[in-house]
Structures are given as structure tokens and as C-alpha cells.
Amino acid sequence: MRMALPPLAMIWAMLALAAAVDTAAAADAARGQELYESRCGGCHSLDANRIGPAHRGVYGRKAGLAPNFSYSTAVRNATVVWEEKTLDAWLTNPQALIPGQRMNFRVALPEDRADIIAYLRQQSGK
Amino acid sequence: MAQMINLRRRGLLRGSGITVLSASAVALLAGCEKMAVAQSGNGSTANDVGILNTALALENEAISAYQLGAQSGLLQKPVLEVAVSFQTHHKEHRDALIATIRKLGGTPVPAKSDAEVAQALNASMLKTQTDVLRLAQRLEKGAANAYIGVIPSFGDRGLAQVSARLAADETMHWTVLSQALKDPLPAKALSFGA
């Protein structure tokens, strides 16, 4: 008798889900802080507008709303709300998410992005 | 073609308020002349100009930060000289970026005042030479990482290479500052970028 195997597509879906849960669980805000300071700190601070806008409160907020920062038209007019998925897309390739933006800085590794996002979320009290 | 480049360059010097392009700015731009002409009108050029303008804002902040450090009275003799020399490097980066932005048909962003930068960087909290060095070290590392992190976004590979050269200068500054602070060397390779 042959055992009924789950279809391949389902196995892939389960693996993908497991991986997603894994990254979410492993996301480490403390490591995220270190990464934030070294990778983002050239341009951003939590509480001051510098080359880029201040970040405290950014998680859960619509793009382009840090007070008194002069955004590109593209980011100011974007309807994107910053949460895990959108931030991950932004840090992967900002221009692909919001064409016409001025950040252009990319973070290559998914685990680095997840940790940085966990830190931004924590600092936004979400 | 050569004449066209010449005209552009004269326009550039007239408009920028910079009378002479520093030798290192010229060296940094070497090879970008053809690129600038060939690329004008290209779709990715606007984005490249955006990256360079963000980099220019970064350099302007660094120039102000070193100015604040130098004027603070907190830096002693050999350290003060090093700070001033690093500030000169950042000014040369600024000039090279302004020149490239203009060549590509863009408008360079104006610098913020030293006072605005002082506020954004919390400069009133700097009480010792070590505080100033730590701030400079943090900014230089951030700048090196910023230049590395924008490399994949450039449409033009010549400009991506310029970004790598700028990152190398900032890394050199970071190394010297780390030595002055007697920090241990990074334990692992590839501690910058990604």
C-alpha cells in the first residue's frame, strides 16, 4: 500500500510558513539596535531629523509624516503604512517600493532587516 | 564632444561658487566626464542624482560636526590636527559630489547651519575629548556603511565605484579614531556594510 503524500506545493507552503514564524520569533530588538546604530546612524536618529527623518513613532505610521522633515514628493505622497512587511520591502530596495524616494540604502540580509524592524517597532511603542 | 565637456565644466565652476576644484575632487571624478555626458537624459540618472544628494547631506553634516568639535576647545593638539584634516577630506568629498550632481544636471542640496547640526547631534552633551571622538567615530562608521549600502542602487557603475572610494576614506577615519580611543580591533572580518 502506498502512503498518501501531501502535494509538493503544500510542503513548500509549510516550509515557508515555518521559516516566517522562525524569523519573527528570532527577531532580536537588541541586535537590531546595534545594527540600527551602525547602518542607519549615518543618516538617522530616533529623535532628530538629520539626513533622513527622525524614527521614533515611525512603526504603524503612514510614510512621510515625521514633523518638519523635508521629504521627497514620492515619500510624502506615498500611502504606505510602515509595518513589518512594508519596512522589509523598503529596506530590501526602497526604490522598488516607492519610486522617486531619496534613501536608496539597502540591507541585504533578511535577519538583519527583521532585527532592525523589531527595534523600530519597540522604539515606537508598538 | 571635448568642447561640450569644457563648456559644462566652466558652467559648473561659475555656478557652484567653488573657484577651483580641489585636486582630489578632480581625481575622484576622473573617468566620470564621459559618463556624465552619455547619461544625461537617462532614466536612472535622476535616481543617481538623488543618491549623490543624500551623500552630500551626509558630508555637510560631517563638516559641521568636525567644526563643532574643533571649536569646542575640548580637543588637544595632535587630535585637533587630525580632526581638521578629516574635515578637509569631507570638504573635498562635498566638492566632488557637488561637481558630479551638477554634471548630471541636478541641483545640490544646501547645507544646514552648524547650529542646526549641533542641535540634531546633541552637541551640548559633549564634555570631553573622548565624547567628541566617540561622536566622530560613530558618524564615520555610519557614513562608511551608508556609502556601502547605496552601492547596489546606482544605475552607473562608475558612480558605484566612487561610492566605494568614499566609503574607504570614511573607514580610514573610523580606524584612526578607534586607535585614538584605544578600542580593540574588530574581532571578525566583514564588520562593515551588508
Side-chain angles (χ1 to χ4, degrees):
Chain A
M1 202 175 98
R2 292 177 59 192
M3 275 203 357
L5 289 169
L8 201 55
M10 199 161 136
I11 296 179
W12 280 121
M14 283 163 64
L15 284 176
L17 191 68
V21 170
D22 212 8
T23 0
D28 175 350
R31 182 171 174 271
Q33 175 171 10
E34 275 174 39
L35 289 170
Y36 180 83
E37 283 163 8
S38 67
R39 306 286 157 81
C40 321
C43 295
H44 289 283
S45 294
L46 287 176
D47 296 306
N49 291 326
R50 289 176 46 218
I51 291 89
H55 270 154
R56 201 183 299 281
V58 76
Y59 194 100
R61 190 169 68 194
K62 191 195 88 61
L65 290 184
N68 304 318
F69 184 79
S70 164
Y71 289 93
S72 64
T73 318
V75 168
R76 195 173 356 99
N77 293 340
T79 54
V80 170
V81 173
W82 297 124
E83 35 74 24
E84 246 156 73
K85 258 205 182 129
T86 48
L87 282 168
D88 189 63
W90 175 253
L91 296 178
T92 303
N93 181 353
Q95 180 69 1
L97 184 72
I98 307 180
Q101 53 67 51
R102 276 199 310 256
M103 176 159 122
N104 288 296
F105 179 84
R106 303 191 194 186
V107 180
L109 297 178
E111 57 270 32
D112 289 354
R113 294 195 299 271
D115 290 350
I116 292 167
I117 293 165
Y119 175 66
L120 287 177
R121 181 175 191 166
Q122 183 196 63
Q123 294 306 312
S124 301
K126 301 278 164 148
Chain B
M1 188 65 109
Q3 201 185 2
M4 200 168 132
I5 293 166
N6 247 328
L7 285 176
R8 278 167 174 259
R9 167 149 286 185
R10 256 191 276 152
L12 155 91
L13 292 178
R14 222 187 5 253
S16 66
I18 298 163
T19 42
V20 185
L21 218 51
S22 71
S24 59
V26 172
L28 189 67
L29 291 170
C32 294
E33 298 264 3
K34 260 188 248 125
M35 161 207 85
V37 175
Q39 270 213 338
S40 49
N42 180 328
S44 70
T45 306
N47 196 48
D48 284 355
V49 168
I51 306 173
L52 297 174
N53 250 328
T54 301
L56 175 58
L58 192 82
E59 295 292 347
N60 280 328
E61 186 189 78
I63 292 164
S64 287
Y66 277 109
Q67 191 62 33
L68 296 164
Q71 285 172 355
S72 68
L74 297 170
L75 300 184
Q76 266 91 61
K77 222 12 190 10
V79 171
L80 180 62
E81 279 155 18
V82 170
V84 170
S85 113
F86 288 178
Q87 187 192 43
T88 307
H89 294 169
H90 287 292
K91 286 180 177 172
E92 291 173 11
H93 293 168
R94 173 199 62 195
D95 295 351
L97 288 165
I98 289 176
T100 313
I101 290 165
R102 287 189 199 275
K103 269 189 195 185
L104 295 175
T107 308
V109 290
K112 293 184 182 178
S113 68
D114 287 350
E116 279 177 281
V117 174
Q119 205 185 2
L121 296 178
N122 241 332
S124 61
M125 298 300 282
L126 303 173
K127 303 291 183 212
T128 64
Q129 170 163 295
T130 302
D131 292 345
V132 176
L133 291 176
R134 285 267 167 237
L135 172 65
Q137 183 196 36
R138 191 156 51 77
L139 292 177
E140 295 286 7
K141 181 164 210 178
N145 282 332
Y147 279 120
I148 293 168
V150 298
I151 285 177
S153 296
F154 278 106
D156 184 274
R157 281 166 165 247
L159 290 175
Q161 187 181 27
V162 168
S163 196
R165 297 187 66 195
L166 291 162
D169 271 2
E170 319 300 30
T171 308
M172 179 270 287
H173 294 168
W174 177 86
T175 307
V176 171
L177 294 164
S178 300
Q179 289 283 307
L181 286 160
K182 300 196 165 59
D183 282 356
L185 291 169
K188 286 195 172 154
L190 301 173
S191 59
F192 282 84

